[in-house]
Each structure stands twice: as C-alpha cells, then as structure tokens.
Amino acid sequence: MAEILLGGARGKTVAMDAGMANRHGIISGATGSGKTVTLQILAEGFSRIGVPVFMADVKGDLSGIAAPGSESPKIAQRLNESGISGFLPREYPSIFWDIFARNGHPVRATISDLGPLLLGSLLELNDAQSGNLYSAFKIADTHGLLLLDLKDLRSLLTFMNENGRELKAEYGNFSPASLATIQRQLLVLEQQGAESFFGEPALQLTDLMQTDFSGNGVISLLDATDLVSKSPRLYATFLLWLLSEIYEGLPEIGDPDRPKLVLFFDEAHLLFDRGPRPLLDKIEQVVRLVRSKGVGIYFITQSPLDIPEEILGQLGLRIQHVLRAFTPKDRKTVATVAETFRDNPEIDTRQCITELAIGEALVSTLDTKGMPTPVQRILIRPPESRIGPLDPQQRTQRIIRSPVHGRYDTAIDRESAYELLKQRADTADGTPQSPRPDRTSRGNRQSIGEALVKSAARSIGSQIGRQLIRGIMGSLLGGNGRRR
C-alpha cells in the first residue's frame, strides 16, 4: 500500500493512504502558517509514488521543488521531533508553465474550448449578454467558423451586429448594447494580458500526466504570481477549464491504488467568487464525479469556509494550520472549522486551532474503508527539495531541458472565423480576396474537419432550438466529450 508521509509528533507518524487520495482534500490556515510547505511536501509525496502533479505557484516560491534541499540544524530538529527518519535532500522532476509565457512554457486554450459558460463568467456578463454570447457560439457552429482567439470572437460579434436583421429569423434578436458590452469586456481582458492565453497550440492533457525515467511523477508548476494579482478571474477560469478538460478527457477507472493525476488549486476561494449559480452547480458536480477518473483535487485557502459546503463535504484529507481569532466572527469561524474534524478525546480541537505553531497542523485522513480518522496534531515533515524559489538562470535551464520545450513556443494562427468573415466582407465590397492559409497545417490540434466533427458531437438537444453547451456543461448535460 503506497502512502504519502505528512508528518508526525511524539514518535508517531501520520500518512495518507494513496488509494484514498482521489477523495480530494484541503489545506487551510492563516497567512504565514505553513500552507506552502505543506503543499510542497504533498507534491513531493505524490511524485515519489509515480503520480503526476499540477499546481499553481501563487507566491513564486514553489519552483525550488526542482532543486535539492539541504540539511540544517533546524531540519534535523524537526525530523527528531516528528519521529521521521530517512530524510534525503533531492530534486523533483518539474515542468514550468506560464499563461503570460515569461517564466515557463506558454499555456493556451481556444475560445471554442472554453465555451460560453466559462467565457461568460470570465467576462462577468449578465443574463442578456450571456444569451447573446451563446448565440454567437451557435452561429459559429452552424456556419463552421472556428473560434480560436479573441480576434475571431470580435469579428463574429461585429458580424452579428451588422447582420442582425438577416440572422433574426433563426437566432432571435441581438441587442447591440449587449454585443457592445461583450466587445468592451474583451478589450479589458486583452489589457490584462489575457490575449496570449487564447489560441493554438492549446495545452494537451498528456503533457500534464508524465513520469520521468525513474517512475517519478512530473510536477507541472503554473507561474501564477502576476496572474492572480492582475487577473484573478482569468486564473480561476483557467483552473475550471483545466478541470473540465480533465473530466471530459479521461476514462472512468473507479478507485485505483493511487491517483492518475493530482491537482492543487491555491487561492481556492477565487474559483467560487461571484460565479453564476449554474457554473457553481457544475463545479460541484465535476468535483464529485472526477474522482472516478482517478483524479484528486486539493484546495488551498485561508479558511475551509471559503469552499462551498457541498464541496467541503466531499474532501477526505483535511490539513488545518493555525487560524487567528481576534474578532467574534473569527471565533465563530474557528468553532465551525473545529466541528468539521472527527473528535479525538486527547485533543481540544477548537483550542488547538488557535494555538498551532508555524509548520504545525491538525490532520485528518481517510482510513482504508473511507472513514475519517480522529484528528491528530502533528508537525509537517520538512521538504526534501529546496524551500524557496529557483533563481532565473536555474529556471531558464530547466525550461530549455523540458520534455515539452519547443512544443508550445510558437503560436499557430490557422484560418478561422476572423479570416473567413474578412473574406466574406472583402467579397461583398468587391475587394480581391487574400490567399487562404494552408488548411492542411495541423499544428498540435485538430484540422477544420475534425473541429467541425467535435463541434457537432458536443451539440445537444433537438435540431430545432438546440443549445450549444461546451466545457464543464458539455459532458454533464449529454455531450459526447472532446475528441482529440
């Protein structure tokens, strides 16, 4: 039975059964309480047993996982106090990613892959505006217009505004005000640097699910330092898109002896802030159902109450670092959090939560029958990799040696909605058409024919009045999933 060693105290160690790791988990605690180190040791543990890991580096200090740590008197003391032996400084195989393509390989998704539900949430559209966005996706599907990047969507919205009278019979009225609002929101998104995220070649799941020659799971690190500060909604949207891609792209495998993939979502409250109710409902469903795909999801946040109750109840591993209780509201939060643990007669859980030292935590895992174990107060084990970031030169060297080096570096701009609508406009004006790009250029994605097959497969409902649903809603409401 594979285990993930968490830490220990008073000569007794605490570990998580890897067979229960797809039951998800949470790491919570106040700022500076040690959550980042806990995240690091969990990622190390999964990598050691051959499980690939994806995690977001929000603070910029997790890149040290790609370099060996060092022994020190402080680490020796922690090992002695926690009853852990066999500490061996080592580095872990890592791939660096960055939506802005500055500190890692570029990360992209197409507008079509994101779909109207996630895109509408990202743009903070109201119901009327979202309705127009859904119409845009339906028109693109019907007319074979690929929506790959922002200029494709802008061109389509302009086309809808200029041809609303002709399109009205089949698609209903379009509000010029709503279309203009969507256009403005796209400009805001572009100013936040999001334009680099939309396009091709899009990220492939297989590149997040690798092992090295020694059988260690490769750790994929998304540099999210600027992303969270400049565009937190884009950060949340990317994570939700990734989750939906994983749910749609992986087969059912039941309960394996260890996960096929583990995801760590830092600043988890951003996933649920101001999201429309339909989206939140689908997130809850996916979190519940993705377990059967052999995927574990771990949320990192300051308070467990940042997570919706429906999701919180599904989390098997609970690691709680110190919480502050300076106000009546804080004390109420502490009391509520204490009630989420299974009682241990030797521990006053409510009191302990406010007394934990840095690097100390209350922990509850699942036993082999899937039952929560009584809460334990432990010292989190020290990481074997470096605590703190790599320097820029070390990061660059690892990016160059990466197994995906060169695969995503150059953007591909295939013929899509922008080019086709421009050709239509040029023809209407009597302007000679520019030569069409070679349609045989495939890059790392599907051809136009395959894209249309994918589009048709993901449409649902009757032929009359059907509604196109992509992304998270696609699989859950009857779509046939993505065809890669």
Side-chain angles (χ1 to χ4, degrees):
M1 179 180 70
E3 292 185 329
I4 310 294
L5 179 62
L6 304 175
R10 297 173 294 279
K12 181 180 180 181
T13 59
V14 174
M16 173 177 61
D17 179 2
M20 293 292 160
N22 65 335
R23 307 297 179 92
H24 313 319
I26 184 171
I27 304 169
S28 54
T31 300
S33 59
K35 297 191 298 295
T36 300
V37 169
T38 300
L39 167 57
Q40 188 167 341
I41 66 104
L42 279 173
E44 289 180 353
F46 282 116
S47 177
R48 278 197 305 274
I49 63 171
V51 177
V53 172
F54 172 87
M55 58 184 181
D57 188 3
V58 171
K59 299 176 183 176
D61 51 6
L62 281 171
S63 60
I65 204 166
S70 57
E71 298 186 64
S72 68
K74 187 175 181 180
I75 287 179
Q77 180 182 357
R78 173 60 60 95
L79 293 170
N80 181 59
E81 292 174 349
S82 57
I84 295 173
S85 58
F87 178 82
L88 179 65
R90 57 173 290 189
E91 64 184 62
Y92 286 81
S94 304
I95 298 178
F96 296 100
W97 304 92
D98 185 358
I99 284 178
F100 300 129
R102 291 193 290 262
N103 295 311
H105 303 292
V107 177
R108 300 185 190 90
T110 68
I111 293 287
S112 180
D113 280 346
L114 208 65
L117 177 62
L118 278 178
L119 188 59
S121 175
L122 174 60
L123 298 176
E124 301 185 75
L125 303 182
N126 62 28
D127 290 344
Q129 295 155 1
S130 295
N132 280 266
L133 186 63
Y134 272 87
S135 295
F137 275 79
K138 175 67 180 296
I139 291 169
D141 248 32
T142 302
H143 295 275
L145 300 172
L146 289 176
L147 298 177
L148 303 181
D149 52 29
L150 291 182
K151 72 178 186 298
D152 288 327
L153 183 55
R154 287 197 203 95
S155 298
L156 180 57
L157 294 171
T158 300
F159 171 78
M160 292 168 61
N161 189 47
E162 294 175 348
N163 298 272
R165 183 175 300 177
E166 291 79 4
L167 297 169
K168 176 180 177 181
E170 186 172 356
Y171 303 103
N173 286 322
F174 304 130
S175 165
S178 291
L179 294 176
T181 297
I182 299 173
Q183 292 276 28
R184 287 195 298 271
Q185 291 298 92
L186 290 175
L187 287 174
V188 172
L189 201 60
E190 184 177 351
Q191 290 171 355
Q192 294 174 346
E195 187 173 23
S196 59
F197 173 60
F198 296 104
E200 296 184 310
L203 179 66
Q204 300 293 301
L205 287 184
T206 51
D207 288 332
L208 300 181
M209 302 180 66
Q210 302 187 57
T211 55
D212 68 5
F213 293 113
S214 300
N216 297 296
V218 174
I219 298 171
S220 290
L221 270 170
L222 175 72
D223 188 294
T225 50
D226 288 340
L227 186 59
V228 169
S229 61
K230 294 180 179 178
S231 187
R233 290 188 72 84
L234 178 59
Y235 169 72
T237 300
F238 165 73
L239 295 183
L240 295 176
W241 167 79
L242 179 61
L243 182 58
S244 70
E245 287 282 295
I246 289 169
Y247 177 78
E248 292 184 3
L250 296 183
E252 301 272 346
I253 61 172
D255 286 317
D257 65 346
R258 68 198 65 192
K260 293 183 65 176
L261 175 67
V262 167
L263 310 171
F264 290 95
F265 291 168
D266 205 350
E267 299 291 342
H269 67 281
L270 295 174
L271 301 178
F272 311 104
D273 282 354
R274 296 181 294 169
R277 187 67 251 175
L279 178 59
L280 296 179
D281 290 341
K282 298 310 162 189
I283 297 171
E284 293 164 8
Q285 287 182 274
V286 170
V287 170
R288 183 174 68 252
L289 297 174
V290 79
R291 187 185 81 185
S292 64
K293 310 275 187 171
V295 176
I297 304 170
Y298 292 79
F299 300 99
I300 299 92
T301 188
Q302 291 196 18
S303 169
L305 304 188
D306 294 335
I307 309 298
E309 187 174 345
E310 295 81 358
I311 292 179
L312 190 62
Q314 302 176 41
L315 306 182
L317 176 67
R318 295 169 186 263
I319 301 179
Q320 178 64 58
H321 290 276
V322 66
L323 285 177
R324 315 299 179 192
F326 299 128
T327 68
K329 182 180 179 180
D330 292 339
R331 289 191 287 274
K332 184 177 180 180
T333 297
V334 168
T336 303
V337 171
E339 292 174 358
T340 65
F341 285 97
R342 181 179 170 184
D343 287 340
N344 182 338
E346 300 178 1
I347 296 176
D348 184 337
T349 306
R350 182 172 177 176
Q351 182 175 344
C352 279
I353 289 177
T354 61
E355 296 177 347
L356 295 169
I358 296 174
E360 196 176 19
L362 294 176
V363 176
S364 176
T365 64
L366 296 179
D367 62 22
T368 55
K369 296 181 179 179
M371 296 294 293
T373 60
V375 62
Q376 298 287 337
R377 182 173 181 173
I378 68 169
L379 292 167
I380 298 297
R381 72 167 180 86
E384 295 177 330
S385 56
R386 180 189 300 179
I387 298 176
L390 297 178
D391 63 47
Q393 183 178 3
Q394 291 173 318
R395 181 190 286 265
T396 300
Q397 290 173 349
R398 284 161 175 78
I399 292 173
I400 292 173
R401 298 200 306 263
S402 165
V404 300
H405 179 65
R407 191 172 302 172
Y408 297 97
D409 295 349
T410 303
I412 298 172
D413 189 11
R414 295 192 287 127
E415 184 180 69
S416 51
Y418 171 78
E419 287 80 14
L420 293 175
L421 291 172
K422 185 176 185 301
Q423 290 165 11
R424 175 184 175 128
D426 288 346
T427 302
D429 293 341
T431 305
Q433 296 184 33
S434 58
R436 294 189 177 188
D438 181 7
R439 288 196 181 205
T440 63
S441 175
R442 298 179 60 94
N444 288 340
R445 301 287 282 182
Q446 71 271 28
S447 67
I448 287 180
E450 290 169 334
L452 292 177
V453 170
K454 170 183 171 182
S455 177
R458 297 183 60 190
S459 300
I460 64 172
S462 64
Q463 290 297 316
I464 300 176
R466 67 186 181 183
Q467 184 180 41
L468 177 66
I469 308 290
R470 285 180 170 83
I472 292 176
M473 296 185 75
S475 291
L476 295 177
L477 299 184
N480 293 328
R482 300 188 186 279
R483 298 183 179 184
R484 300 289 184 190

